[in-house]
Amino acid sequence: MQNELFGVVAHDNKNDELRTAEEWSQEAQSLRAALHLHAHRYYNLDAPTIPDAEYDRLFQRLQKIEIEFPDLKTEDSPTSRIGGAALTEFSQVQHAIPMLSLNNGFEDEDVLAFDRRVREGLETQGEIEYAIDLKFDGLAINLRYIDGVFTQAATRGDGTTGEDVTENIRTIRSIPLRLQCENPPAILDVRGEVLMFKADFETLNQRQRENEAKEFANPRNAAAGSLRQLDPKITAQRSLGFFAYGIGYLEGAEKPASHRALLDWYRQIGIPTCQESAIVQGAANLLEFYRGIQLRRTQLAYEIDGVVYKVNRFAEQARLGFVSRAPRFAIAHKFPAEEALTQVLDIEVQVGRTGAITPVARLAPVFVGGVTVTNATLHNEEEVLRKDIRVGDTVIVRRAGDVIPEVVASVLDQRPLHTTSFLLPEHCPVCGSAIVKVQDETIARCSGGWLKCAAQRKGGLFHFASRKALNIEGLGEQLIEQLVDKNVVTTAADFYKLGVLGLSELDRMAEKSAQNILLALENSKATSLPRFIYALGIRHVGESTAKDLAKHFRDMDHLMAANEEQLLQVNDVGPVVAQSILHYFSDTLNVELVRQLIAAGIHWPQVEALDLSSAVFAGKSIVLTGTLPTLSREQASALIEKNGGKIAGSVSKKTHFVVAGDDAGSKLLKARELGITVLSETDLLEMCQD
Ligand code: IVH
């Protein structure tokens, strides 16, 4: 009986004993067909029509039949995806048509020159029709289908001979084991890229960490490592993806007329292709696509290192031909590299405003992600030891987008002799106080406090003057550094005692600039209670907690007098935050500082008691990500808070909504993964209007 909705065969298990060999064979066949179809709907069309549990049931039924009747097992059976026997080595595969590489360009000029060569080659003045693909950062693979059945997969190797990775590729669920067509070609070689999606890469590294195994430096390495497993069962546990972008040998079917037609055909017969592609006329449009995708790069679910431009019509490709080992009809337009190799010259530690000790790698200058990098954070001691980064090592440095540069991994086979593991210093390099590590915390801290440690003092003062705190324009890091070193300023209250004379004595400070700073100081006196609380730099009290505290206590006296029980009543304040606030105000110097600042003239409007319990976002935690079309981040936050919501910095299971704009990155991915409702600016405005 054919079930219309599920397209699968249902049958009565009780009659199993009575069935003929022919009936078993028929059932196995229809189960296979159904599983192929559902895998295709699930992985490639993103439109499953049966629940996962039903898929599993069909899968297990097929497995059971195949175990009982091994003769019924076919090469294209979906059950083979769980990984067969391990190999001792990969065998070699000769490619029917060599797998070549692409010429690269980085600058606009390289693309214009490519377009000129193409037009010369085709002897035309007119604009060329180009197909644009993304340049996936994975590994090139040739998939061979014989009579529509997946039979072999090979890596690119040296272009002529690759390695047979058939059993590993078989575990990739988006790759069809049988083509979805009536009359498949006798032989079809599909060319494309195996890659690992960013989310799967994060999950894999998380698992590696839990198993205390080495993490992968990037999705490409993870994909390569997973594909080069001799045991396909390991590959089966790693989620890999695939996008087709070309064709090799073809027999028994007419080759489509263009690159676009080829990808359309692939899509029809169930071979995964990427949705992000375009057909354009002329070079100017190539560059426009490049810039557009560069902006959206971080939002993509997979990594790319550029785009590939191809003359669309195959007849024109053939006329242009090849030069040495690369086609004349295509070019890769690469993004500036986000990763580069360099040497660790030293590992120093920096002391933050709360005394947090951060190891920083001093690097031989290297150009990466469009800038020259000389330092990169190593986050904390644990991370340096886990990654085993040592002075003298050659390391991979990464700078993606505007993210601060970081050291990804050491290249172990280039490690010089006699290096030693990183050792956290016992004393603060700035004030000499002991460095201590509280149990269960990854961060080590200087125990000197701001009174003893100039680094903490500078950090605290810089925080006080920063944009989200008292926003004192012109009072930057370098100026504060000098003011502290010359003992002109010790606490934030000293800022308000500065005069033109004192400031003009500093290096390179003109009287005009001194006056501007005094004006900025004067302006900063009119502030808000949340900003003031945040500016104090109490540990664990960020912008959002400061707002909650201000809303709850409504003035400084009440906050300073609060006991633990009262603090715990504040929205989102737990024992750790409460302790930290109590600890801060138990120090009379801090209480004195607050008094002095208020005496210097810092003031704020009285905080009104508001009842937001029935507002749209009452009790909801909301994360903002990306650039919204019209609202600034501050405006969107204010709107959400006015409607009872709370802004959170990162997406978790506790997040109720994510408001996403352009260039939303990993937070949006995470939200999708967790099934959290994603709102646009329009949604947000509409909800707030109601
Ligand atoms: S077309 C004749 N298209 O780039 C060469 N290659 O440098 C045809 N790659 O080994 C290759 N994305 O691994 C092509 N959309 C794409 C690609 C792509 C990534 C890789 C591929 C190849 C290398 C060429």
Side-chain angles (χ1 to χ4, degrees):
M1 175 182 62
Q2 190 82 11
N3 177 323
E4 283 299 319
L5 179 64
F6 292 165
V8 299
V9 179
H11 92 285
D12 185 354
N13 287 356
K14 274 184 293 192
N15 290 336
D16 277 2
E17 304 90 68
L18 305 175
R19 306 170 94 220
T20 63
E22 180 56 26
E23 281 170 329
W24 281 119
S25 157
Q26 261 170 16
E27 187 187 354
Q29 211 176 334
S30 40
L31 281 167
R32 272 195 300 271
L35 288 165
H36 282 315
L37 182 68
H38 290 305
H40 174 58
R41 283 186 181 151
Y42 184 89
Y43 288 104
N44 300 330
L45 305 181
D46 209 5
T49 46
I50 60 169
D52 293 358
E54 179 60 15
Y55 183 91
D56 294 342
R57 194 188 65 76
L58 298 174
F59 191 92
Q60 281 158 14
R61 173 80 187 157
L62 179 60
Q63 251 180 335
K64 189 175 154 225
I65 297 175
E66 287 175 348
I67 289 169
E68 209 155 319
F69 307 100
D71 284 355
L72 292 182
K73 183 155 177 146
T74 58
E75 204 180 349
D76 71 336
S77 175
T79 59
S80 59
R81 292 208 195 269
I82 53 178
L87 305 171
T88 46
E89 60 171 2
F90 295 114
S91 49
Q92 304 269 298
V93 175
Q94 180 98 16
H95 298 302
I97 296 178
M99 292 178 78
L100 302 182
S101 64
L102 292 167
N103 286 324
N104 290 331
F106 286 92
E107 310 296 335
D108 289 1
E109 183 45 47
D110 301 332
V111 177
L112 299 178
F114 158 74
D115 176 59
R116 272 198 301 274
R117 286 193 303 272
V118 167
R119 280 184 289 138
E120 274 164 26
L122 296 175
E123 294 169 333
T124 169
Q125 310 290 320
E127 291 198 323
I128 305 294
E129 182 171 279
Y130 289 108
I132 312 180
D133 287 341
L134 302 187
K135 189 166 190 309
F136 310 108
D137 206 0
L139 298 100
I141 288 285
N142 186 80
L143 309 178
R144 171 158 287 201
Y145 287 86
I146 298 185
D147 295 327
V149 177
F150 169 72
T151 29
Q152 190 182 58
T155 61
R156 176 164 176 265
D158 63 4
T160 314
T161 315
E163 282 179 327
D164 185 332
V165 287
T166 311
E167 293 316 310
N168 290 343
I169 291 293
R170 202 187 282 290
T171 68
I172 302 179
R173 290 176 191 261
S174 61
I175 294 184
L177 297 175
R178 175 180 285 276
L179 300 177
Q180 304 271 339
C181 62
E182 293 284 319
N183 294 308
I187 302 180
L188 166 63
D189 278 351
V190 176
R191 302 257 162 105
E193 200 88 346
V194 167
L195 44 79
M196 189 174 280
F197 285 84
K198 290 177 193 168
D200 293 321
F201 168 71
E202 296 299 337
T203 314
L204 171 62
N205 265 355
Q206 171 87 31
R207 210 167 63 203
Q208 295 288 99
R209 268 197 297 278
E210 282 160 15
N211 296 338
E212 291 182 7
K214 197 161 165 45
E215 286 177 55
F216 293 96
N218 51 45
R220 204 200 101 86
N221 288 7
S226 304
L227 202 60
R228 287 202 42 87
Q229 292 291 334
L230 287 166
D231 182 355
K233 289 205 171 56
I234 298 182
T235 315
Q237 288 163 15
R238 311 266 177 90
S239 276
L240 292 173
F242 175 81
F243 287 130
Y245 53 64
I247 184 164
Y249 185 70
L250 176 69
E251 195 180 295
E254 186 124 352
K255 190 174 161 183
S258 66
H259 184 71
R260 167 47 65 97
L262 174 70
L263 297 191
D264 286 344
W265 180 49
Y266 278 168
R267 215 162 288 162
Q268 256 176 37
I269 62 179
I271 292 173
T273 54
C274 176
Q275 295 293 333
E276 300 279 354
S277 61
I279 298 288
V280 303
Q281 314 291 329
N285 290 314
L286 296 177
L287 298 177
E288 192 183 313
F289 182 94
Y290 176 86
R291 287 192 233 300
I293 203 75
Q294 199 170 19
L295 291 177
R296 289 197 297 118
R297 178 182 187 183
T298 53
Q299 282 168 268
L300 298 173
Y302 40 82
E303 294 209 328
I304 58 172
D305 55 354
V307 293
V308 184
Y309 309 135
K310 299 167 183 172
V311 170
N312 187 36
R313 293 187 193 95
F314 286 148
E316 290 178 351
Q317 287 194 2
R319 274 171 59 200
L320 287 160
F322 296 81
V323 60
S324 68
R325 303 194 44 78
R328 272 204 201 86
F329 56 79
I331 189 173
H333 190 184
K334 305 245 282 192
F335 297 137
E338 290 193 317
E339 286 187 353
L341 290 179
T342 189
Q343 228 126 36
V344 178
L345 304 177
D346 199 1
I347 300 180
E348 293 173 4
V349 298
Q350 271 176 359
V351 188
R353 99 185 136 80
T354 60
I357 302 284
T358 309
V360 176
R362 304 277 172 231
L363 304 169
V366 59
F367 192 72
V368 52
V371 299
T372 302
V373 169
T374 50
N375 300 316
T377 177
L378 292 165
H379 301 291
N380 55 56
E381 180 194 18
E382 201 175 84
E383 179 127 334
V384 189
L385 295 176
R386 186 165 52 74
K387 290 182 175 169
D388 191 19
I389 311 287
R390 303 180 182 196
V391 175
D393 274 359
T394 298
V395 289
I396 303 172
V397 178
R398 183 177 174 83
R399 181 186 176 275
D402 289 334
V403 182
I404 53 167
E406 62 168 354
V407 174
V408 179
S410 276
V411 182
L412 287 184
D413 55 17
Q414 288 187 36
R415 173 169 285 169
L417 294 175
H418 314 302
T419 59
T420 51
S421 294
F422 170 71
L423 204 62
L424 195 75
E426 285 174 16
H427 298 283
C428 172
V430 178
C431 72
S433 303
I435 289 180
V436 292
K437 213 163 150 181
V438 180
Q439 225 183 354
D440 298 335
E441 273 198 33
T442 39
I443 309 274
R445 286 174 203 279
C446 157
S447 61
W450 63 265
L451 212 52
K452 270 202 205 148
C453 184
Q456 293 188 47
R457 211 148 56 231
K458 288 173 188 170
L461 291 168
F462 183 61
H463 171 81
F464 184 88
S466 66
R467 200 172 51 83
K468 291 174 177 172
L470 282 234
N471 193 18
I472 311 173
E473 236 171 277
L475 209 50
E477 224 157 337
Q478 281 167 3
L479 192 57
I480 290 175
E481 177 113 23
Q482 287 189 55
L483 290 168
V484 172
D485 288 344
K486 300 201 166 164
N487 282 322
V488 184
V489 167
T490 311
T491 75
D494 298 333
F495 282 148
Y496 296 95
K497 297 175 193 153
L498 286 170
V500 178
L501 270 181
L503 278 171
S504 320
E505 276 170 31
L506 302 177
D507 300 348
R508 286 172 304 188
M509 170 75 70
E511 193 179 315
K512 178 89 182 98
S513 327
Q515 244 145 14
N516 284 342
I517 289 173
L518 292 180
L519 187 65
L521 276 162
E522 200 50 39
N523 289 340
S524 74
K525 289 180 183 172
T527 186
S528 69
L529 182 56
R531 276 179 180 270
F532 184 74
I533 297 173
Y534 172 71
L536 296 175
I538 306 169
R539 248 181 94 191
H540 303 298
V541 177
E543 245 189 312
S544 148
T545 309
K547 281 181 188 158
D548 286 339
L549 291 168
K551 221 181 281 176
H552 190 93
F553 292 105
R554 299 173 54 209
D555 65 44
M556 275 314 290
D557 287 332
H558 285 118
L559 171 61
M560 290 195 291
N563 59 25
E564 182 172 13
E565 196 185 337
Q566 289 163 329
L567 286 167
L568 287 174
Q569 280 169 12
V570 180
N571 191 17
D572 266 2
V573 170
V576 175
V577 182
Q579 272 314 316
S580 168
I581 297 169
L582 288 172
H583 180 252
Y584 183 86
F585 290 118
S586 70
D587 187 337
T588 49
L589 283 174
N590 289 331
V591 176
E592 186 51 30
L593 172 67
V594 171
R595 301 258 175 259
Q596 285 182 5
L597 287 168
I598 294 173
I602 293 182
H603 62 280
W604 48 84
Q606 174 65 33
V607 180
E608 296 296 333
L610 274 183
D611 179 15
L612 291 174
S613 57
S614 57
V616 253
F617 292 132
K620 303 277 189 253
S621 168
I622 294 151
V623 174
L624 287 169
T625 177
T627 314
L628 298 177
T630 62
L631 294 176
S632 72
R633 217 176 170 74
E634 282 75 18
Q635 288 169 324
S637 305
L639 182 64
I640 289 166
E641 280 163 1
K642 219 180 88 196
N643 285 280
K646 252 183 64 73
I647 303 292
S650 60
V651 179
S652 74
K653 280 189 209 135
K654 291 185 186 152
T655 308
H656 295 92
F657 298 103
V658 168
V659 179
D662 283 350
D663 271 348
S666 58
K667 290 182 189 173
L668 182 58
L669 291 178
K670 181 100 188 264
R672 296 234 162 96
E673 223 171 83
L674 293 174
I676 294 165
T677 309
V678 176
L679 304 176
S680 66
E681 180 184 283
T682 319
D683 300 333
L684 174 68
L685 290 169
E686 271 175 18
M687 285 171 79
C688 290
Q689 216 151 44
D690 292 343

